[in-house]
Amino acid sequence: YYRALDAWLKSLELAGELQDGYGAARAYIGIGKFYFALQTYTRALECHELALSAASTLSRVSLLAEIQINIVADAFRLRDFARANSALAAAQVALQTYDRPDWVAEVAFYRGLICFEQNQFADAQEHLSQAYSIFRKDRNPWGESHVLLALGRTFLKLQELEHAEDCLSAACELSEKHQLIALGIEAHEMVA
C-alpha cells in the first residue's frame, strides 16, 4: 500500500506542475483508495472529494461516475447515508451516458446496503437482487459473493430462512472457489 501511495503522491505532484486536472483527479482517487484500505474513511472521503473538485471542470463522465462511487463507499462506511445517497444519484446520472455494468451493479449494491441499514428490507432485497443479476451476468465473483452475503442477511431479516441459506451457501462456495477468505469466514459463520 505504501509504495502505491508514494506513486500516487508523485503523480499528484506532477499533475500539479503540469496543471493536469485529469491526472490530479486520478491521483486523488488512488490516495483515497489507500486510506479506504486502511479503513480511514474520513480521510478517504476527503481525498475523493478533492478528486471530484479536480474533475469538475472536465467533461469525462466515466471519471465523475468512478469518483462518485468511491464517495458512496466512503460515506456508507461513515454511516453518512445522506451523502452516500447524493453521490449515488450523481453516479446514476453519469452512468446513463456511460455503459459500465459493474458500476451500475455497485450503485444497486450500495442502494441495497443503505436500505438494509435503514430497516427497509424489502427495498434492500430488490436492489441487491438487481446487483446480483448484473454481477452474475458480468461474471464478477467478487461482486457476486458480496451481494450474496448481503442478500443472505436481508432474507434473514425478512424471515425467509430458506432463501437466506441458499444465498449464504452460494457465497460460501464462491468465496472458497475464488479465495475470498474474509468473506468466506463471515458467510460460514452466518450459515452456522
Side-chain angles (χ1 to χ4, degrees):
Y1 291 140
Y2 287 96
R3 287 178 60 197
L5 177 63
D6 286 341
W8 282 316
L9 289 171
K10 286 177 186 162
S11 295
L12 183 59
E13 185 179 327
L14 286 171
E17 290 172 9
L18 298 172
Q19 296 182 355
D20 174 11
Y22 178 78
R26 300 270 359 137
Y28 278 125
I29 290 170
I31 296 166
K33 287 184 179 189
F34 165 80
Y35 285 111
F36 186 90
L38 295 181
Q39 299 178 356
T40 310
Y41 303 120
T42 301
R43 187 71 179 118
L45 181 59
E46 290 169 1
C47 291
H48 290 133
E49 294 281 4
L50 288 168
L52 185 61
S53 177
S56 64
T57 60
L58 308 173
S59 55
R60 292 184 178 239
V61 176
S62 63
L63 180 64
L64 293 172
E66 180 181 1
I67 293 167
Q68 293 290 3
I69 290 169
N70 279 290
I71 289 172
V72 170
D74 302 333
F76 176 77
R77 288 191 177 63
L78 291 168
R79 301 188 60 78
D80 183 351
F81 301 134
R83 181 65 186 107
N85 278 323
S86 170
L88 277 171
Q92 206 159 14
V93 168
L95 289 169
Q96 289 175 354
T97 59
Y98 183 73
D99 185 31
R100 186 79 191 256
D102 56 329
W103 288 357
V104 172
E106 279 196 61
V107 167
F109 176 62
Y110 277 107
R111 279 211 190 285
L113 292 179
I114 291 168
C115 287
F116 181 90
E117 292 297 321
Q118 295 175 333
N119 298 322
Q120 300 166 352
F121 303 119
D123 291 339
Q125 187 266 317
E126 184 179 324
H127 292 296
L128 293 170
S129 294
Q130 181 184 24
Y132 176 73
S133 295
I134 298 167
F135 279 134
R136 185 171 177 160
K137 183 179 176 188
D138 240 27
R139 297 179 187 206
N140 180 330
W142 184 92
E144 200 177 332
S145 55
H146 278 79
V147 172
L148 282 168
L149 184 64
L151 271 170
R153 278 193 189 104
T154 304
F155 282 126
L156 284 172
K157 292 290 188 180
L158 291 169
Q159 302 290 315
E160 297 182 28
L161 301 182
E162 199 172 307
H163 289 304
E165 188 175 354
D166 290 344
C167 289
L168 294 170
S169 295
C172 290
E173 288 176 30
L174 274 172
S175 64
E176 288 172 18
K177 182 177 179 183
H178 297 282
Q179 298 180 6
L180 303 169
I181 297 166
L183 186 133
I185 291 169
E186 194 172 348
H188 281 289
E189 285 176 351
M190 289 183 73
V191 169

